[in-house]
Amino acid sequence: MNPATTSGMITEPAILDARDLTSDPELEARFAESAHRILADLVSGGAALGWVEPPSPDEVAELLGHVVSAARAGDAALRAAYLDRRLIGLGYWLRYARPTHRPHADLEKLAVAATAHGRGVGRALTAALIADARQAGIEVLTLDARGDNTNALHLYRSLGFTEYGRLPDFVAVGEHRYDKVFSMLDLRRQD
């Protein structure tokens, strides 16, 4: 890891990819556990990450194992943000499985520890995942977000994603209903 430093203090997180994570035995051994802690804490606080109840450690480990395997096959990208060798965020995209959709991928998760919110970690992770998608030849990167997740929606718009659809009151969390917002970034366009 080689984050920016100022007077010996780390000021920016190191953004690692799946290869970096799996080549460092210490980080690899702690990754699923650290990711579980972030995801469970965020979901417990009401975050819109696809779970109503916090996921189990085994569920997170299985999910991340699948993403790492897909990344090795060229069908995914995984990024993790570390500050002082402590995981503070993660995100990934997966290539669509349907043969007619293989040129495209879906950014499925982006999670930043509550203690690191507002520090640009989500932006750095998303930018790295977009760069990975470009390098992998992904044509369109999609994502969906819960309609009340205004910070995430603002971040995605600021990085060039455009909304292409919305399902009103589609996401059910107990008695509450939220819109499901679909966004896309067309990587075929030249910047």
Side-chain angles (χ1 to χ4, degrees):
M1 286 190 276
N2 195 13
T5 60
T6 303
S7 304
M9 293 185 63
I10 296 175
T11 58
E12 292 181 26
I15 306 295
L16 306 182
D17 64 17
R19 187 179 50 246
D20 296 330
L21 283 168
T22 57
S23 68
D24 185 322
E26 181 187 337
L27 290 180
E28 183 179 22
R30 294 189 337 241
F31 180 60
E33 177 186 330
S34 298
H36 170 260
R37 199 166 28 254
I38 289 171
L39 293 168
D41 287 350
L42 290 170
V43 172
S44 290
L49 290 168
W51 291 284
V52 174
E53 297 295 325
S56 71
D58 289 342
E59 185 178 359
V60 172
E62 182 179 335
L63 171 66
L64 294 175
H66 169 70
V67 173
V68 168
S69 293
R72 286 184 181 132
D75 291 332
L78 169 68
R79 288 293 182 150
Y82 281 85
L83 194 59
D84 295 326
R85 296 188 64 84
R86 182 176 52 88
L87 183 69
I88 58 170
L90 66 142
Y92 66 87
W93 57 254
L94 288 169
R95 188 182 295 272
Y96 282 97
R98 187 178 296 178
T100 56
H101 297 175
R102 296 285 297 157
H104 315 296
D106 191 55
L107 197 159
E108 295 193 7
K109 292 263 184 276
L110 184 71
V112 175
T115 57
H117 284 181
R119 295 171 59 187
V121 176
R123 176 173 295 283
L125 285 167
T126 307
L129 289 165
I130 291 168
D132 292 341
R134 284 186 198 283
Q135 185 175 354
I138 297 299
E139 293 179 8
V140 177
L141 186 60
T142 63
L143 61 84
D144 63 79
R146 203 167 78 188
D148 68 326
N149 196 349
T150 56
N151 289 339
L153 291 169
H154 174 75
L155 168 67
Y156 300 137
R157 277 191 304 274
S158 75
L159 290 169
F161 284 85
T162 57
E163 182 177 327
Y164 68 89
R166 184 178 288 253
L167 292 172
D169 297 329
F170 187 80
V171 180
V173 180
E175 297 300 313
H176 301 284
R177 299 293 181 269
Y178 304 95
D179 291 356
K180 183 173 185 176
V181 180
F182 298 94
S183 296
M184 49 124 6
L185 179 62
D186 190 338
L187 299 172
R188 297 171 290 196
R189 296 183 188 153
Q190 297 299 319
D191 294 46

